Amino acid sequence: MPGIPFVVAAPSGAGKTTVCHALVAQDPRLVFSVSHTTRPRRSGEREGVDYHFLERDEFQQLVGKGAFLEHAEYSGHLYGTSWEAIREPLARGLDVLLEIEVQGAAQVRERLPEARLVFLLPPSLAELERRLRSRNTDSEQEVARRLEIARREIRQVEHFHYAVVNDAVERAARELLSVIRAEREGRAEPLAKRLAPGALSPTLRRALELPDAGREMG
C-alpha cells in the first residue's frame, strides 16, 4: 500500500522547520522530503539534509524539465519539491513530509489530490513578529515585508485540511503526529473536525486577523 504525502505549510517565522524535524525524529515511517532552493545556505545547514542548494539557472533548468511537483518564489528565492524526492518512499509504503511554502501547497493540492495539507499557524501575528525579530537576521523593512506576506498567506488556511497552532513545538509536533497516525490508520474524521480551519476559535481568528468562520474570503 503506497504511503501518504503530508504537506506542512506556514508563514515565515511560524516554526515549521523545527516542528517538521521533531516529527521525523519521532516517527520512523515518516520520511522528510528535502527541497531544492536558490537561497544562500545558513549557518549549520547541510547540503542534501536541510536543502539541495542550487544556483537560479540550475533551478530553472529543472523547472523546464518538469522535475518539480511544486515550486514557488518566496522573498526573492526559489523553492521546490522534486518528484524524485517523493516517488520512491511513497512506493515503499512510507509517508512523506513536505515542508513547503503556501504557494507550493496550492500546487500540491491540484497535482497530488491524495496529499493531506496542514497549515501551521502562529498563536498570533504579534507573536509571529516577535519570532521574526528574535532571529536577528532581517532588517526592519524585511520584517515588515514578511509580516505582510504572512497576513496574506494565513488567509489561505481555509484551503487546508487541518490547522495546527504552534504555540509550543512539543505540543504542535504531538498534534501533527496524531493527524499523521490517524490518517494512516483510516480514523481521521474526529481530528479532521476538531482541527479543521473552520473550527478555529474567534479569539485566535482575531489574533491572526482572520475573518469570522463562514464569511467569504476575499
Side-chain angles (χ1 to χ4, degrees):
M1 184 175 178
I4 303 169
F6 289 95
V7 170
V8 175
S12 177
K16 68 179 182 296
T17 299
T18 303
V19 170
C20 285
H21 282 295
L23 287 175
V24 173
Q26 295 178 58
D27 192 328
R29 287 182 56 188
L30 191 63
V31 176
F32 184 72
S33 171
V34 180
S35 299
H36 293 66
T37 186
T38 62
R39 78 154 170 77
R41 192 185 313 189
R42 294 172 183 160
S43 175
E45 289 184 331
R46 292 170 292 167
E47 165 62 32
V49 175
D50 298 286
Y51 283 99
H52 297 294
F53 295 94
L54 301 175
E55 296 297 325
R56 181 171 281 260
D57 61 341
E58 294 177 297
F59 192 104
Q60 296 288 19
Q61 287 174 21
L62 289 175
V63 171
K65 293 176 181 177
F68 291 117
L69 161 63
E70 60 81 26
H71 66 279
E73 183 161 359
Y74 180 85
S75 196
H77 304 298
L78 299 170
Y79 297 82
T81 301
S82 69
W83 284 104
E84 182 181 359
I86 69 167
R87 277 177 174 152
E88 190 269 339
L90 288 175
R92 288 196 290 126
L94 296 172
D95 300 325
V96 179
L97 184 65
L98 286 71
E99 177 210 334
I100 60 179
E101 304 303 322
V102 175
Q103 296 175 64
Q107 296 173 44
V108 174
R109 187 170 61 244
E110 293 178 5
R111 298 171 185 170
L112 210 62
E114 65 269 30
R116 312 312 290 164
L117 276 60
V118 181
F119 202 115
L120 191 66
L121 293 163
S124 68
L125 286 173
E127 171 61 14
L128 183 64
E129 181 175 2
R130 188 198 67 77
R131 292 179 187 178
L132 288 170
R133 292 187 186 283
S134 70
R135 299 194 306 195
N136 294 317
T137 58
D138 299 317
S139 65
E140 285 293 318
Q141 183 179 6
E142 180 65 11
V143 169
R145 195 177 69 83
R146 286 179 181 269
L147 283 170
E148 184 53 38
I149 292 171
R151 284 184 174 90
R152 294 198 301 268
E153 290 180 332
I154 288 171
R155 289 177 66 86
Q156 299 303 309
V157 68
E158 311 295 345
H159 301 297
F160 285 67
H161 298 108
Y162 298 92
V164 172
V165 178
N166 183 20
D167 49 5
V169 170
E170 295 80 7
R171 194 204 66 79
R174 194 162 55 245
E175 198 89 270
L176 275 162
L177 276 174
S178 296
V179 168
I180 289 166
R181 289 167 181 170
E183 288 281 354
R184 186 183 285 160
E185 296 164 12
R187 51 175 182 82
E189 188 175 351
L191 269 180
K193 289 180 179 178
R194 181 169 66 83
L195 298 178
L200 294 172
S201 72
T203 300
L204 181 59
R205 285 182 169 273
R206 285 193 295 272
L208 296 172
E209 298 181 7
L210 281 168
D212 295 336
R215 277 178 51 190
E216 186 175 343
M217 301 290 286

